[in-house]
Amino acid sequence: MEPTLPVRLSPVREVRLALLPDAAETTLPCNLRSRMPTQLVVLVTPIPDYLSSELAKRVYYVSPEIEQFHLVSEGGRVVAVEVTTSVAGDVGELSRKLDLIIAKDVLPQREVEAEVVWSSPHRPRNADGTFAQLAAAGMVAEMGEGIYATGALFHEVLSGLDRRLHDLAVGEFAASAFHYPNLISTDTLRRAGYMSSFPQFLMTASRFRSDVDTYDSFASGVASVDDIGQHIEEHSEHLGYCLPPAMCYHVYQHLQGRGLAEGPIVVTTRGQTFRFESRYRRSLERLWEFTMREVVFIGERTAVAEQRRRLMSAVGDMVTELGLAGQIEVANDPFFFNGQIAEYVRVQRAMELKYELCLPVEHGRSVAAGSFNIHGEKFGSAFGITLADGGAAHSACVGFGLERFAYALFCQHGVDLDAWPDDVRAMLRTSV
Ligand code: ATP
Ligand code: ZN
Ligand code: MG
């Protein structure tokens, strides 16, 4: 039975605009979506409106059946979530799961104010609808949910950006460049604490059990089974590898047990990165598979902090040279399922452990094209990387989402590269 509530159905607009996929990106045709059941899930514990974006970031992870949702706000509090589900779900179960994340992850958080530490001199001048234009021009093609093929022009811009970032890391910070594999050890991610903080993003790699009977049974069922996914699962096992959710974990593993008597180490790497972002996926901004360039600093606390500061400043200059509007702000990670979330977020923001480079991609909306993170001794201690005095080394990492960064360039300069400022094209050394 649908509960009757003295509630005006007033979705929190910013959240809808910011998070719901737009028509071009919905995975289901509108006529099908409109036939799906919509249910009102009343929250046992309403939350203040200022926490609505924290709730909205998590709703799709509550259940894979949720196709769309609106937060229902009344009197300054979010009191219910209106969900559209693929099948008529159990409202009681949805309510239990929503209340679980509200209690664990949302309510413990406080209101935070945006704190800008750098602003580009350029003003935003985005045209909306860039993704649709890139798709219409054949410059991107959807290959799956949050998985895109990109054409030569987009790829050239992405590579040009990456070359600048690589050259900055190697030229100004004496970084060693490494190429790491696409598989990362499960043990590394576990030791790094990734699995307990961000399980919702993680992609594991499995294979068939090494047994001739398994191969035989699997192969003979391939053509006839209804559910190939289930068939694969029944024959598979986890062999200790995952797909990397960031590039820096390779570096900690690579340096494990190392003493840094001869001074700090700087490594830069670029690779394919995987995060399952559920229905939060969006155009080239929020992908399931994307390319990340990272620069990792390992050494003394003050040296690492200074290197992060210098790189942040150099990236600000690069963004200005690229003619982009944008700013660098204090940020925090969206921790999940972790009882200490309030403390993590408070410390991360108060100590300015994470900054994000935010670039406008349409009127009134920006995305983070890069982040600048300090980890204290966390990884030095987890991976036995030590300083000359035997203490754990400190680390910092700076990561750039190359598709996002390149996309922001198209959003701000337009999809026609011929019309881009000459100096920007020269910087990226595009041939067009
Ligand atoms: P967001 O808050 O946007 O989810 P994040 O804090 O999860 O970003 P980081 O873990 O700091 O991101 O990763 C470094 C960079 O990688 C981000 O600043 C962004 O440019 C890029 N990135 C992260 N997730 C994605 C994604 N799903 N698709 C494309 N790029 C991404
Ligand atoms: Zn990192
Ligand atoms: Mg994220």
Side-chain angles (χ1 to χ4, degrees):
M1 197 184 76
E2 210 167 270
T4 46
L5 256 190
V7 165
R8 193 167 35 91
L9 272 185
S10 58
V12 180
R13 285 194 200 291
E14 296 76 1
V15 173
R16 289 187 69 171
L17 289 176
L19 291 167
L20 291 181
D22 66 35
E25 295 158 330
T26 46
T27 46
L28 290 160
C30 291
N31 58 348
L32 185 56
R33 194 179 286 279
S34 65
R35 288 204 302 269
M36 289 180 176
T38 295
Q39 292 155 310
L40 192 67
V41 184
V42 180
L43 301 181
V44 176
T45 319
I47 59 165
D49 274 350
Y50 68 76
L51 289 176
S52 58
S53 64
E54 293 299 327
L55 174 59
K57 269 182 209 166
R58 293 167 167 86
V59 171
Y60 284 129
Y61 293 112
V62 163
S63 163
E65 289 158 11
I66 300 177
E67 297 282 346
Q68 208 172 59
F69 71 88
H70 298 159
L71 302 187
V72 181
S73 176
E74 156 119 333
R77 294 182 315 160
V78 179
V79 293
V81 183
E82 188 192 54
V83 294
T84 304
T85 49
S86 48
V87 289
D90 178 342
V91 177
E93 261 303 279
L94 286 178
S95 167
R96 182 186 68 76
K97 291 181 184 172
L98 277 169
D99 276 298
L100 184 72
I101 57 162
I102 284 173
K104 280 188 96 171
D105 297 345
V106 177
L107 269 182
Q109 301 202 46
R110 301 193 194 134
E111 189 162 17
V112 291
E113 270 175 37
E115 207 179 316
V116 176
V117 296
W118 175 86
S119 277
S120 158
H122 303 292
R123 300 278 50 91
R125 50 190 150 72
N126 298 77
D128 292 348
T130 302
F131 183 72
Q133 288 174 39
L134 288 173
M139 290 159 82
V140 298
E142 187 174 7
M143 307 296 285
E145 299 176 358
I147 305 174
Y148 290 94
T150 48
L153 287 185
F154 188 89
H155 197 71
E156 205 169 332
V157 170
L158 184 151
S159 302
L161 265 178
D162 184 51
R163 199 166 39 240
R164 297 289 299 207
L165 294 166
H166 167 278
D167 292 352
L168 182 60
V170 173
E172 303 292 322
F173 295 84
S176 307
F178 271 91
H179 176 78
Y180 292 106
N182 276 343
L183 291 177
I184 186 152
S185 133
T186 302
D187 183 53
T188 293
L189 294 181
R190 186 186 190 179
R191 262 207 271 175
Y194 192 85
M195 297 193 152
S196 40
S197 293
F198 307 104
Q200 76 283 9
F201 293 139
L202 194 64
M203 298 289 300
T204 61
S206 58
R207 72 170 299 279
F208 301 126
R209 286 185 296 279
S210 300
D211 177 324
V212 69
D213 293 338
T214 306
Y215 302 140
D216 192 35
S217 144
F218 177 76
S220 59
V222 168
S224 57
V225 292
D226 289 336
D227 187 342
I228 187 71
Q230 191 187 345
H231 189 56
I232 291 173
E233 223 176 278
E234 283 166 5
H235 292 81
S236 298
E237 64 183 343
H238 182 74
L239 284 178
Y241 289 91
C242 293
L243 301 177
M247 284 294 113
C248 57
Y249 298 112
H250 289 295
V251 179
Y252 313 129
Q253 180 188 335
H254 185 182
L255 298 180
Q256 69 184 315
R258 182 90 65 96
L260 304 185
E262 274 144 47
I265 291 189
V266 186
V267 175
T268 187
T269 183
R270 161 193 169 157
Q272 292 311 107
T273 310
F274 300 79
R275 294 187 192 179
F276 181 72
E277 302 254 16
S278 182
R279 292 188 185 280
Y280 297 107
R281 64 182 179 268
R282 183 180 194 126
S283 69
L284 291 170
E285 295 167 30
R286 194 168 290 287
L287 298 163
W288 190 345
E289 174 178 354
F290 58 100
T291 320
M292 195 186 283
R293 160 68 58 191
E294 280 215 65
V295 187
V296 184
F297 301 106
I298 306 188
E300 304 269 358
R301 185 173 65 84
T302 46
V304 157
E306 176 56 14
Q307 281 167 316
R308 177 183 74 153
R309 191 201 60 74
R310 270 181 57 218
L311 182 50
M312 208 156 88
S313 160
V315 168
D317 292 345
M318 181 179 147
V319 169
T320 305
E321 269 185 80
L322 286 167
L324 292 174
Q327 47 193 40
I328 297 179
E329 298 172 9
V330 174
N332 63 269
D333 279 313
F335 297 101
F336 271 75
F337 314 117
N338 201 316
Q340 290 156 329
I341 186 168
E343 189 55 11
Y344 282 164
V345 170
R346 193 188 64 73
V347 170
Q348 209 177 16
R349 296 193 74 96
M351 296 182 67
E352 305 194 354
L353 299 180
K354 178 168 182 130
Y355 295 104
E356 281 182 338
L357 165 67
C358 299
L359 302 177
V361 287
E362 60 182 34
H363 289 112
R365 198 172 65 80
S366 295
V367 286
S371 74
F372 308 81
N373 311 276
I374 281 202
H375 321 118
E377 296 175 359
K378 180 178 175 186
F379 298 124
S381 153
F383 291 88
I385 310 169
T386 52
L387 298 170
D389 67 4
H394 285 246
S395 64
C397 73
V398 176
F400 301 93
L402 295 178
E403 284 81 359
R404 262 194 207 180
F405 207 147
Y407 180 62
L409 273 160
F410 282 98
C411 290
Q412 295 199 29
H413 291 313
V415 295
D416 176 9
L417 265 89
D418 289 337
W420 286 24
D422 289 341
D423 51 342
V424 173
R425 275 187 307 170
M427 253 182 97
L428 301 174
R429 280 187 262 144
T430 58
S431 51
V432 283

